[in-house]
Amino acid sequence: MGTRGTTIPGIGWYAAACLIAHFGEIGRFPTVGAVVSLAGLSVRQKQSGRSVHQYACIDRHGRRSLRSLLYLCAMAALRASPECRSFQQRMLARGKPGKVVMTALSRKLLHLVYGVWKHQQD
């Protein structure tokens, strides 16, 4: 990822170094879904017997430290990027709770990091 990762709002040099340490070689992940799963930000539907109408939540089977790092990067991205602020306002207007918005923004940042790193473009 090198210096390209720091062009993403909310991702600084420390966060980029931590992401490199967590992922290693990005080529070992065939899709962005594999990276999202490693971070524990994939969505799963809770179902059991007759109770099939529960809310979806994130699957926390990934790395907690990576999830925490992305959450902090999402907070920094809200301060640095007007696109992230408009994303936050749109989700809040739809009635989403604040933590759900921050989790969605963390996942969105992870998608951006994967795209920049995989294609070597800003």
Side-chain angles (χ1 to χ4, degrees):
M1 181 161 44
T3 60
R4 293 189 198 282
T6 58
T7 61
I8 300 170
I11 306 290
W13 64 269
Y14 180 77
C18 289
L19 289 171
I20 290 170
H22 275 287
F23 297 139
E25 177 57 40
I26 198 68
R28 68 187 181 117
F29 298 103
T31 63
V32 71
V35 175
V36 169
S37 182
L38 177 71
L41 290 173
S42 56
V43 180
R44 78 177 161 113
Q45 183 71 35
K46 291 171 37 172
Q47 295 181 4
S48 174
R50 292 183 299 181
S51 59
V52 295
H53 301 294
Q54 295 180 357
Y55 290 108
C57 62
I58 61 169
D59 186 16
R60 293 183 178 89
H61 286 106
R63 295 181 182 173
R64 183 177 184 182
S65 58
L66 181 56
R67 226 177 9 258
S68 299
L69 174 73
L70 289 168
Y71 189 88
L72 292 174
C73 290
M75 289 176 61
L78 282 177
R79 289 191 305 266
S81 171
E83 292 88 10
C84 292
R85 280 193 297 274
S86 67
F87 177 76
Q88 178 197 32
Q89 294 304 317
R90 283 194 313 270
M91 289 194 73
L92 290 174
R94 289 190 302 188
K96 302 293 181 186
K99 286 189 179 180
V100 170
V101 173
M102 293 303 293
T103 303
L105 189 56
S106 299
R107 184 181 166 117
K108 184 180 268 297
L109 282 178
L110 191 55
H111 277 258
L112 287 172
V113 166
Y114 180 81
V116 167
W117 197 356
K118 183 83 170 183
H119 301 293
Q120 295 295 317
Q121 294 180 355
D122 292 340

